[in-house]
Amino acid sequence: MYKSNDERLTDILIGEATLELLLSGKAVSSRALKEILQRMAEKEEDDDRYQALMRALNEVQQNLNSQTDQSRVTLRDRNNAEHHFKGEAIPGDKRKH
């Protein structure tokens, strides 16, 4: 259940942007969604929809930030040297996929 009409409108606009990505055949990702929402905001004339687009962009950006934080791993070796890795795999992990 929505707390406000603003939240509902924000979700609707995220849905519209996602649908646009799906119909275009492009990959659906946070970055692609952010680009669509930015383009929608540039063209938007209605103040309520514009504010909802700004909230949607903020949500997507927060998601991108959390994805970046989660995909970085820092490990120390025997000499206490730090090694930084991106992605989910950890060195020495035997999984192939």
Side-chain angles (χ1 to χ4, degrees):
M1 186 135 238
Y2 293 101
K3 294 179 184 176
S4 69
N5 287 336
D6 293 338
E7 288 179 349
R8 184 172 186 267
L9 181 55
T10 300
D11 286 349
I12 288 170
L13 292 170
I14 290 173
E16 287 178 12
T18 303
L19 183 59
E20 184 175 329
L21 283 172
L22 290 169
L23 292 175
S24 70
K26 295 179 181 177
V28 177
S29 69
S30 295
R31 283 186 176 79
L33 187 59
K34 183 179 172 185
E35 289 175 15
I36 298 290
L37 290 167
Q38 285 173 331
R39 191 177 70 227
M40 290 170 66
E42 289 170 2
K43 297 176 182 178
E44 188 56 58
E45 294 178 6
D46 181 79
D47 190 50
D48 290 338
R49 285 179 59 93
Y50 178 80
Q51 293 302 321
L53 285 163
M54 292 296 103
R55 284 190 301 277
L57 279 165
N58 186 43
E59 285 183 26
V60 171
Q61 185 60 52
Q62 287 177 353
N63 184 48
L64 279 169
N65 292 343
S66 71
Q67 286 175 357
T68 301
D69 292 342
Q70 291 173 1
S71 65
R72 292 183 184 165
V73 176
T74 301
L75 298 175
R76 291 185 180 271
D77 64 15
R78 289 180 255 211
N79 300 320
N80 207 27
E82 284 188 355
H83 300 275
H84 304 277
F85 300 93
K86 289 184 178 179
E88 295 178 3
I90 297 174
D93 192 352
K94 303 292 185 214
R95 292 178 288 164
K96 298 290 181 188
H97 301 284

